[in-house]
Amino acid sequence: METGTKPLVVAISSRALFDLDESHRIYEEQGTEAYCRFQIENEDVPLEPGGAFNLVKKLLALNDNNPKTPRVEIILLSRNSADTGLRVFNSIQYHNLGIIRAVFTSGSSPYRYVAPFSANLFLSTSPEDVRMALEAGIAAATILPSNLGHNSESEQLRIAFDGDAVIFSDESERIFKERGLEAFTENEQQTARQA
């Protein structure tokens, strides 16, 4: 990596990084006060890995060869308040993640902080937050639950995305939505012959 090259900055929601389902259930069923009390009472109980935990570990591992010039920086964005966010930071330390910058929004959508942190990508479990980020011109993706488990043995980093809409044109997707699968397949076959 050349000196002066900026790292890839990924902003990630705390619910994508850690399993906050139990906490979120308390919030939905008992309200904000019960949620805050639960987080504060459990601030020393590490959170379990969430859907994007392995991805974050693998991205941060790209920095292992030269920590003075990191290739990747992960920034945590959380709807927690600063006092309830202590459990999140304690969990970051417990899991030995190299995350040092974070924003705690006290309930508001965290996507607004992606641009001020110069993040290149925003990852969240909230489709609504991702939609708002995309509408604001921010590269974003929804983290979906995985059946692979959190103890993936592979150190290999694999990233898949919809190349038709990202790298190429979204013409095929529009044809599918407007005219159905048969028209989509016909367009794909015609396009393949042109290559």
Side-chain angles (χ1 to χ4, degrees):
M1 182 172 186
E2 297 175 22
T3 304
T5 302
K6 293 181 181 179
L8 170 69
V9 180
V10 179
I12 188 162
S13 69
S14 56
R15 285 188 65 196
L17 183 58
F18 294 117
D19 181 354
L20 287 164
D21 288 347
E22 179 183 7
S23 303
H24 190 68
R25 191 171 36 258
I26 290 169
Y27 170 76
E28 287 182 333
E29 293 172 1
Q30 300 174 33
T32 304
E33 190 175 312
Y35 171 83
C36 291
R37 188 172 49 254
F38 176 78
Q39 293 295 59
I40 292 169
E41 288 171 358
N42 289 284
E43 67 186 28
D44 293 324
V45 178
L47 293 162
E48 292 295 318
F53 185 86
N54 282 334
L55 172 63
V56 167
K57 283 195 68 123
K58 290 174 184 183
L59 286 170
L60 289 170
L62 296 172
N63 298 332
D64 288 350
N65 291 337
N66 193 352
K68 293 185 182 197
T69 56
R71 292 187 166 111
V72 177
E73 179 184 10
I74 304 295
I75 297 174
L76 183 81
L77 302 181
S78 176
R79 288 179 181 257
N80 280 300
S81 62
D83 58 338
T84 60
L86 183 57
R87 183 176 187 198
V88 173
F89 254 112
N90 287 343
S91 298
I92 287 170
Q93 290 177 340
Y94 174 82
H95 291 287
N96 197 30
L97 300 174
I99 299 173
I100 58 172
R101 296 197 297 165
V103 169
F104 296 97
T105 67
S106 296
S108 65
S109 176
Y111 87 90
R112 292 181 184 97
Y113 295 90
V114 175
F117 276 107
S118 299
N120 305 103
L121 177 63
F122 172 53
L123 302 174
S124 176
T125 57
S126 168
E128 181 183 336
D129 287 346
V130 168
R131 182 186 50 76
M132 288 188 290
L134 290 169
E135 288 173 358
I138 297 166
T142 304
I143 296 294
L144 300 173
S146 170
N147 295 335
L148 298 177
H150 300 298
N151 296 321
S152 173
E153 296 296 321
S154 173
E155 292 181 11
Q156 192 176 55
L157 174 62
R158 295 180 186 183
I159 299 174
F161 55 93
D162 181 357
D164 288 346
V166 177
I167 295 177
F168 309 108
S169 152
D170 68 345
E171 178 184 4
S172 293
E173 186 172 342
R174 284 186 282 132
I175 289 171
F176 173 74
K177 287 180 180 177
E178 294 169 7
R179 301 191 333 228
L181 182 59
E182 191 174 314
F184 167 83
T185 304
E186 182 180 321
N187 180 66
E188 288 291 292
Q189 290 170 347
Q190 287 177 355
T191 305
R193 288 186 199 114
Q194 295 172 0

